[in-house]
Amino acid sequence: MAVQEARQGPEPGAHDGGCACGDCPHGAREGHRRAVAAFLVKRDEFAAGQGLPAAVAHSASASRQWVSEELTQSAELVAERGRAEGESWLSRVWQRTACTVGAAVVTLLLVQSLTAIGAGWTTARTAGLLAALLVGGALTAASWLHRARGGALAPVIGEDNRLSTSRVVAAAWVLFVAYAVLVLVGRLAAASGPAERDALISGLDLVRGAGAVTVLAVVCAIAVLVRRVVGLRVLGQRLQKVRAHRPRAADLLTDDAGRGTFADIQYVAISAVALAFAAVRLARRPDQLPDLPWGLAVVVLVSAATYLAGKYAEGGRPVVLSVVRSREAGDLDGPIRTGDDIEIRGAGFVPPGAQTADRLSRMVVRIGAVHVHVPLVPVAGGFSNPTDAVLTVPVPAEVEPGRVEVQVITAAGVETNRYAIDVTD
């Protein structure tokens, strides 16, 4: 459907990405969608051998270079529209936060009203509703103040513009514990007798909420530690990170390439189950902090340790294993000469999340003192060059004959090891 729309052109009066209608959500979104559709049409046409000018059609290397340049320019437009769409999406998060908070408060009121039938309305229900209003009001106010940076999501968005699993889990526990304490505060403010006040104050004793407090401390420490670990691994070129156009809910369960990861999934699932259990305990015993059983608390701690170990294990530096002369069918075997194509074999050339054309076009191969941009070779549904394990680039005439070193620089800016090859006249 997107390809058909791109061929037909924009409808009369439709937004095309240059909309200046203030908070209109259609300008950036529509512009990005149309840019993606136009790029897909162009890529598929080039893959089928269509659209080549007669001046370069006679030369395989010239046509490949021309196609690569055309696709690179089109991909840069897609990336620009994607960034604009991401900024527009972030600016609207605070409105969605306000709607979500309002819906949550209304849902809580309905649940409390239904459960109060027969049992009657209690002080604990009033305290719970007031605590929800305070927490929701704080979230809405923070979202409005940081509306240009993602609203309430600003503290849980990582440096790569993706939702951080560790920060989201820690933020969920912080909000829940804050809500539980506010419920006790509300009940304490409404308490009439000293015995009731003493019982509520004793509900904050560590012996009652040791499990919940331990889990809170660990998940917050994990959030801080993971940020430090990822930052050090990126600076040490042991982990490749590329920036996303905007955060997505799927970031909580997947890696940068969009593949589901066991460490993230189990951490989110177990934390959600533990939070649900703690919420039920708070509803049953609103006079004390939810006493999370040590068995469940240990399960959460094991899950957090697994998540941290997964962060230490992920990634790796790209490596060049071998470089050979690329040979077409019918070519004679021979040494590498200037003008020949070389095939660089290795691993980790395409960082996770860098499979889009604008990121692939940023890959560079250093041959001696000459920097060669890796050409994009389109095929139906994607690109045959570059790939994560193989790159094909020409040896330019500027490379001096003799022994030279080959090094790949990925889209994340990480350099591989140097591999020496012999270039002849």
Side-chain angles (χ1 to χ4, degrees), residues 93-107:
V93 168
W94 77 270
Q95 300 173 348
R96 299 178 181 181
T97 302
C99 295
T100 302
V101 167
V105 173
V106 171
T107 301

Side-chain angles (χ1 to χ4, degrees), residues 18-398:
C19 175
C21 302
D23 294 333
C24 174
H26 301 289
R29 183 189 309 169
E30 185 70 10
H32 181 227
R33 189 171 66 87
R34 291 187 178 277
V36 171
F39 173 81
L40 295 178
V41 170
K42 182 177 293 187
R43 185 198 64 189
D44 293 343
E45 287 179 349
F46 287 153
Q50 304 172 1
L52 289 176
V56 299
H58 67 281
S59 173
S61 60
S63 61
R64 183 180 61 185
Q65 185 65 28
W66 187 86
V67 167
S68 179
E69 294 294 336
E70 288 293 313
L71 290 176
T72 298
Q73 293 179 8
S74 181
E76 290 175 353
L77 176 61
V78 173
E80 180 183 351
R81 295 289 172 83
R83 288 188 292 268
E85 194 271 338
E87 293 174 359
S88 175
W89 184 87
L90 286 176
S91 65
R92 300 194 305 270
V93 168
W94 77 270
Q95 300 173 348
R96 299 178 181 181
T97 302
C99 295
T100 302
V101 167
V105 173
V106 171
T107 301
L108 178 62
L109 177 60
L110 292 176
V111 171
Q112 288 186 341
S113 300
L114 291 176
T115 55
I117 297 177
W121 192 268
T122 62
T123 306
R125 301 180 192 276
T126 302
L129 185 60
L130 292 177
L133 289 173
L134 288 175
V135 174
L139 282 176
T140 304
S143 296
W144 186 83
L145 291 175
H146 296 277
R147 58 189 179 279
R149 299 184 177 181
L153 295 181
V156 298
I157 297 177
E159 286 71 18
D160 57 352
N161 206 31
R162 294 180 176 86
L163 287 180
S164 170
T165 303
S166 58
R167 297 185 195 180
V168 169
V169 171
W173 278 101
V174 168
L175 289 177
F176 173 75
V177 172
Y179 173 78
V181 173
L182 286 176
V183 171
L184 291 176
V185 170
R187 293 207 60 193
L188 184 62
S192 57
E196 184 180 1
R197 287 193 292 269
D198 291 341
L200 291 172
I201 293 176
S202 65
L204 291 172
D205 289 343
L206 185 60
V207 67
R208 297 179 181 271
V213 172
T214 301
V215 169
L216 175 65
V218 170
V219 296
C220 290
I222 290 292
V224 175
L225 185 58
V226 164
R227 179 180 181 182
R228 179 65 174 172
V229 168
V230 171
L232 289 178
R233 287 175 61 83
V234 170
L235 293 177
Q237 297 191 5
R238 297 188 300 274
L239 180 64
Q240 301 189 72
K241 279 283 187 180
V242 294
R243 185 175 176 82
H245 292 319
R246 71 172 180 87
R248 304 176 185 274
D251 296 337
L252 301 179
L253 306 176
T254 61
D255 60 8
D256 294 352
R259 299 183 297 262
T261 56
F262 170 76
D264 294 63
I265 293 174
Q266 60 87 29
Y267 190 39
V268 171
I270 292 178
S271 298
V273 170
L275 273 172
F277 180 89
V280 173
R281 292 292 294 174
L282 179 63
R284 292 295 184 180
R285 298 291 302 272
D287 56 345
Q288 65 180 43
L289 285 177
D291 50 342
L292 202 65
W294 277 110
L296 183 56
V298 170
V299 169
V300 177
L301 299 186
V302 171
S303 174
T306 303
Y307 173 77
L308 181 60
K311 287 298 177 182
Y312 271 103
E314 73 176 357
R317 188 167 183 171
V319 58
V320 174
L321 300 177
S322 60
V323 178
V324 298
R325 178 176 176 268
S326 182
R327 177 179 176 273
E328 297 289 341
D331 285 352
L332 298 177
D333 296 327
I336 298 176
R337 296 182 175 89
T338 55
D340 290 343
D341 289 342
I342 58 174
E343 187 178 278
I344 304 172
R345 302 171 182 175
F349 295 150
V350 180
Q355 291 82 8
T356 56
D358 62 301
R359 301 293 171 76
L360 293 177
S361 64
R362 297 176 60 188
M363 298 183 63
V364 176
V365 175
R366 184 187 293 124
I367 305 176
V370 182
H371 291 76
V372 183
H373 284 79
V374 180
L376 299 176
V377 179
V379 294
F383 298 92
S384 62
N385 186 67
T387 64
D388 190 63
V390 178
L391 306 178
T392 300
V393 295
V395 179
E398 290 78 8

